Amino acid sequence: MKVFAAVCRCGSITKAAAALHITQPAVSLCIKELEQYYGVQLFDRIAHKLYLTDEGAKLLGYAHKIISLFGEAESDLKSWCALESLRIGSSITIGTRLMPGYVKKFRAAYPNVRVFVTIDNSSQIEKKILANELDFAMIEGTVHSENILCEKLRKDLLVPVCGANSAWANRTELRPEDLTEIPFLLRERGSGTRELFDSTLLTQGITVTPEWESISTGAIISAVEAGIGFSVLPFGLVEQSLQQKRLIQIPIRGIRFERYFYLIRHKDKHLSKAVVSFLLQNQFGVQAEKS
């Protein structure tokens, strides 16, 4: 199952063999034996490329569960504190503001547990949860899969901001109809911040096409400070710039951008001792309910 999952992940028998540190014939034999045993074809082999069949996709779902359960058996039956590791996912906002403190607090209590953190936009983190590449994650976006359990952690606020010397700095308020005339600098699609911005404006019948899109909140803040455009960003990430008068917060009449941070995990994912300890250490609940 590990070999099969590696071939699916790498998209190539050669690459899977290199990743697993075994020979290419051994990988090919493993796939052949799986196909013979189940009486199905797992891959279409077209133009020297591998394409997962419907039967292969079904087996891959089971493979992820089997690999996960085997790993849990290994860790649970041994000294977890010395051998376990944590794979945590985080959206960019949470990864910037909160994750360093969470990991530092956990490592102080459990220095022998290795903590691996992946920071990406909420959409990509959700995909990694579904592929069992993460034990759990914290995001601010909406969960889209019924296979993911989520639990509210805390409320977060996004604020409209412009540069202190920009053309909008003297405004005390913006009207919703003004928004289509303003150059917006926004996070990329798939991020929780962008999803909240688009969905909130959509309820007002407003669609904004940004002049800038970036995966880097820092790049957007720098550009807004330079007076290039307007943005809506998490308060915690622009608080220092607001205090130093490099950014100005301009409210939008009748519109408020609020959301929650969520703790998410796959519904079939077992909570290991390391996961439970991390959540308890940071005073999170350990019983996530389906969103």
Side-chain angles (χ1 to χ4, degrees), residues 73-253:
E74 287 284 290
S75 61
D76 282 347
L77 294 175
K78 296 177 181 178
S79 177
W80 75 271
C81 195
L83 298 174
E84 272 198 10
S85 61
L86 272 177
R87 301 171 303 162
I88 307 173
S90 170
S91 59
I92 293 173
T93 298
I94 296 174
T96 302
R97 290 171 56 188
L98 304 173
M99 189 56 68
Y102 293 153
V103 173
K104 181 179 179 180
K105 187 174 182 180
F106 177 74
R107 278 184 171 170
Y110 301 97
N112 293 326
V113 179
R114 299 188 69 186
V115 180
F116 300 93
V117 178
T118 299
I119 299 176
D120 208 328
N121 67 44
S122 296
S123 176
Q124 292 302 312
I125 291 297
E126 183 174 337
K127 291 178 181 178
K128 291 181 183 297
I129 287 286
L130 292 172
N132 193 38
E133 295 176 16
L134 299 170
D135 296 317
F136 69 96
M138 299 176 193
I139 65 170
E140 67 267 10
T142 302
V143 172
H144 300 92
S145 172
E146 62 181 13
N147 291 318
I148 292 180
L149 305 180
C150 69
E151 179 183 3
K152 289 180 180 178
L153 292 179
R154 56 185 286 184
K155 187 173 286 189
D156 186 43
L157 176 68
L158 275 62
V159 293
V161 292
C162 65
N165 297 316
S166 71
W168 310 278
N170 61 349
R171 300 283 295 271
T172 58
E173 184 182 65
L174 292 177
R175 301 171 301 170
E177 54 266 31
D178 295 332
L179 303 184
T180 56
E181 306 298 324
I182 294 175
F184 269 91
L185 318 180
L186 300 174
R187 283 286 307 280
E188 81 287 3
R189 293 187 181 276
S191 72
T193 296
R194 178 64 179 277
E195 186 173 34
L196 176 64
F197 176 84
D198 287 343
S199 62
T200 300
L201 292 192
L202 190 61
T203 63
Q204 303 287 326
I206 301 170
T207 301
V208 168
T209 301
E211 292 193 2
W212 280 37
E213 288 183 296
S214 176
I215 62 172
S216 169
T217 302
I220 295 174
I221 292 174
S222 296
V224 174
E225 288 179 352
I228 293 175
F230 204 86
S231 191
V232 174
L233 295 168
F235 176 76
L237 297 184
V238 298
E239 184 177 9
Q240 185 175 7
S241 294
L242 290 169
Q243 290 173 348
Q244 296 173 352
K245 307 298 183 184
R246 290 183 282 118
L247 290 179
I248 301 295
Q249 182 177 340
I250 310 292
I252 302 172
R253 184 186 303 167

